Each structure stands twice: as structure tokens, then as C-alpha cells.
Amino acid sequence: MKYGFWLPIFGGWLRNVEDEKMPPTFDYAKKVIQSAEDWGYDTTLIAELYLNDIKGTEADSIEAWSTAAALAAVTEKIEIMTAVRPVFHNPAVTAKMAANIDHISNGRFTLNIVSGWWAEEAKQYGGDFTEHDERYERTEEFLEILKGLWTEDTFSYDGKFYQIENTKLAPKPVQRPNPILYAGGESEKGKQVISSLCDAYVLHGHTVEEAEVKIADMKERRKAAGREALQSIGMAAYVVCRDTEEEALEEVKRITTVGDLSGYAGFKDFTSMSELEQQVKLQDYSVSNRGLRPNLVGTPEQIAKQIIEFEKVGVDLLLLQCSPQLEELERFSKQVMPKVEQLRASFTNI
């Protein structure tokens, strides 16, 4: 298992807690990522939303790509996975920017491809927000252009959404043939795009049983598409680690008690525009990305045992959320990560 975390760009992950003591500033984000690098984390995921989906659309939030470039210059080892939504971006310019950040980071920049779900945000920021399957058709063209520009000396493309002619991109990315392309999706069209054009698969929070089914399905789709095995399978999860199970459950109760609804502005679009396979309740949405479904809640040993169960079904990257992030990432690194290694060693010796 590799351990990653969502960069704190919204001021927290809890829609029912007003002040999580984690300000949406570059200075705080830099402190978190540099500390996490020292604590042994492998990856950070930087979400791309121009409006704050957690604390409300009036609240501050950090822009993803400029933050990624800045953090690439002040870190040494950690993978910087940054979301990109084709409805807002020119693919040729994106390919150039990504190659440049890959050089700044010396080969640590990767992309999380998101086809988009928030119609209101697209209206405000001029995104070309179309019907669900058409957004994925755009994503297909977007990915084909990225890969073409990263691998060919000169590349032309004549598609429904994009046209470029005799385009040259130099230098190419450090990573060959391309920076890793992650993506998640639960619709039929989304799964088709991921299985044929992406390199790695990311899931919202799921139970072990749900994850097992989805991973097996994606592996079969990948095989049917004639593609090599996925490079990674990641999953979002919110962690509540405490000395006792009772303390952890009390914290879950606190953070899922729905009060002020200002952080729920995107709930209707998320649930209606994404073609999700599981119904999302308002309480589930109180924590970002269905983070409580994996049940990484309890004592360090309870959480470590659950992580081992996810390993068994094929999850090899956890993308963690926690609050307050700096303190809880440190706790996880010092109490849970070693416990996972101990449990794995004990199982091996049985």
C-alpha cells in the first residue's frame, strides 16, 4: 500500500464543521506537503475546482495548477497528482504545462482526469458543460491529444471538439511515454474511457466488498481493451484515528451531524450529473468523496486491519483526508503505517 493525501485547498473536508484550523492558503499547503514528505507519504492529490465545494461558494479556495507548479519546486520525492477537467482547458496548452511541471518536479507530476459534474461552476467560469456522455467524448479527444503531443515529434488532430495542426511540443515530459494518467468514473461511458485511455484507476470511498467488485470489473475491461495492467488503483478515504473506538465513533457523529447547508451547494449536481452507482445520502456527502464508506475509523490497529483488507482486493494507493490535516497526517504516519507493516509481517509468518 502507498499512502497519499488530498491537498487541503478548501479549508477542510467537513461540510458541517465551520473552522477546521487548516486555512486555504499556499503557506499551509506547503507546510502540509513538506511535512508529509518527511513522514513517508507517497502522493498528494490536488483537486481542481474554481468554487469551494466544501465550505460554500463564497469561501476561499486555492487554484490547482499554479499550486502544483509551486509545490513541485519546494518538494523532492512526493508525487504531485493534479486534477484537470477538459471542459475548462485547451489540451495542447495543458500538454505543454504538464511537461513543464514534470521537469520542475523531475518526473513527479501526474494527472487526474475529471470530466466534470458541477454545472453551476461551469456557468460561472465559462466551461463548456454538455450532457454526460458528451463530456466523456470530449475527454477522449483531450487524452488522445495529450498522448500524441507527448510522444510524437509533430502531431495533428481533427476531432469534434479540438483541432490542432502540425503541433510541436518540446521538451517532452521526463516520464516516458507520459506522466501517469489517473481517472475515476462510475458510468458506463466513464469506465470505457478509463479502461482504454488511462493508466490508473481511482475510486471514491467504498466498502471492501464494493471496491472488490469495481476493481475486478475494471481489470476485465482493461483486458478486453487489449491494454496492459493498470499501474495503480487508488481510493479516497477519510480517516478518524483515536486511542479508543468510542472516541473515534464520537468524532464521526460530530462531523456528520448536518447543520448549516452552505457547503452543500454542489450536492444536487454531484448526485444528478455523475451517473453514480451508489445512492449518496446527505450524511455521506457531509464528508468529501464518500470518505467514510471505507470505514478507516477506530484505533490504529482497527484501521490497519481494514487497510490490509483493501490491499487484498487490489487497492494499492490510499488518498486520505483528515482534519485537522497536519496533526492527523502525522498521527496516521506514526501510529497506523507501522501497524500495517506489523500486521502484514505477522500474516506472512503464519
Side-chain angles (χ1 to χ4, degrees):
M1 185 68 72
K2 295 191 298 182
Y3 300 102
F5 62 93
W6 294 66
L7 194 76
I9 67 169
F10 300 119
W13 304 110
L14 305 173
R15 292 183 168 91
N16 302 317
V17 178
E18 184 176 354
D19 184 5
E20 298 181 54
K21 309 299 181 185
M22 39 197 289
T25 64
F26 176 74
D27 286 344
Y28 183 75
K30 182 173 74 168
K31 186 175 183 179
V32 168
I33 195 172
Q34 289 178 331
S35 299
E37 193 171 55
D38 291 338
W39 294 331
Y41 287 88
D42 302 286
T43 302
T44 190
L45 169 55
I46 308 178
E48 184 190 53
L49 283 175
Y50 301 133
L51 297 176
N52 193 322
D53 178 44
I54 306 297
K55 299 302 181 183
T57 57
E58 303 295 323
D60 292 355
S61 61
I62 301 175
E63 193 281 319
W65 278 63
S66 53
T67 300
L71 293 177
V74 297
T75 52
E76 297 179 355
K77 299 175 293 184
I78 197 164
E79 175 187 4
I80 300 174
M81 184 199 309
T82 304
V84 61
R85 296 169 300 164
V87 296
F88 292 104
H89 292 273
N90 175 303
V93 175
T94 300
K96 181 69 174 180
M97 292 170 63
N100 196 52
I101 301 175
D102 202 39
H103 279 270
I104 293 171
S105 67
N106 194 27
R108 294 181 288 117
F109 185 69
T110 57
L111 279 73
N112 178 33
I113 311 298
V114 180
S115 291
W117 54 268
W118 198 355
E120 175 58 30
E121 182 202 28
K123 290 177 187 176
Q124 291 192 27
Y125 278 84
D128 191 6
F129 195 84
T130 54
E131 292 300 315
H132 179 275
D133 283 6
E134 193 169 14
R135 296 200 300 276
Y136 272 101
E137 290 173 12
R138 176 187 293 275
T139 295
E140 286 182 282
E141 293 191 11
F142 192 90
L143 289 169
E144 288 168 354
I145 291 173
L146 291 185
K147 290 186 170 188
L149 288 171
W150 286 336
T151 56
E152 298 185 23
D153 291 337
T154 302
F155 184 71
S156 297
Y157 192 90
D158 186 13
K160 176 181 176 181
F161 300 97
Y162 305 110
Q163 300 81 37
I164 61 174
E165 187 174 345
N166 298 327
T167 307
K168 300 179 184 296
L169 189 150
K172 303 298 185 188
V174 174
Q175 299 169 78
R176 299 297 176 89
N178 57 263
I180 297 172
L181 299 170
Y182 294 82
E186 300 189 1
S187 67
E188 180 62 28
K189 185 64 176 178
K191 291 174 182 178
Q192 291 172 8
V193 173
I194 295 165
S195 60
S196 61
L197 289 171
C198 295
D199 306 309
Y201 184 38
V202 287
L203 302 163
H204 286 298
H206 286 79
T207 65
V208 172
E209 295 75 18
E210 289 167 350
E212 183 176 23
V213 171
K214 291 199 171 184
I215 291 168
D217 174 67
M218 185 55 66
K219 287 182 175 179
E220 283 299 314
R221 290 172 180 271
R222 188 78 171 180
K223 185 177 180 181
R227 295 292 311 280
E228 69 282 359
L230 291 161
Q231 295 185 37
S232 182
I233 297 174
M235 184 184 70
Y238 188 90
V239 179
V240 180
C241 181
R242 296 293 186 269
D243 293 336
T244 67
E245 183 179 13
E246 290 74 21
E247 289 176 288
L249 293 175
E250 187 62 31
E251 172 67 0
V252 171
K253 181 179 179 181
R254 181 183 77 89
I255 66 178
T256 58
T257 299
V258 178
D260 178 17
L261 294 176
S262 61
Y264 291 78
F267 178 71
K268 183 178 179 181
D269 279 353
F270 178 73
T271 53
S272 64
M273 301 289 187
S274 301
E275 296 192 13
L276 304 173
E277 290 181 320
Q278 274 88 28
Q279 182 179 3
V280 178
K281 299 177 182 178
L282 197 63
Q283 189 181 56
D284 292 330
Y285 197 68
S286 64
V287 174
S288 179
N289 300 95
R290 281 179 266 166
L292 288 175
R293 289 184 77 86
N295 195 31
L296 298 190
V297 174
T299 66
E301 182 162 1
Q302 287 175 313
I303 294 171
K305 287 180 178 178
Q306 187 74 341
I307 289 171
I308 293 291
E309 293 305 307
F310 279 110
E311 280 189 351
K312 291 178 182 177
V313 301
V315 176
D316 57 36
L317 170 65
L318 287 174
L319 295 165
L320 301 174
Q321 297 173 353
C322 49
S323 177
Q325 194 146 348
L326 196 62
E327 294 83 352
E328 293 303 318
L329 285 177
E330 182 176 20
R331 187 205 300 256
F332 185 91
S333 70
K334 294 182 176 179
Q335 296 184 16
V336 179
M337 288 185 193
K339 185 63 69 173
V340 173
E341 297 305 314
Q342 292 173 14
L343 287 174
R344 191 185 293 114
S346 67
F347 294 151
T348 303
N349 294 329
I350 293 175

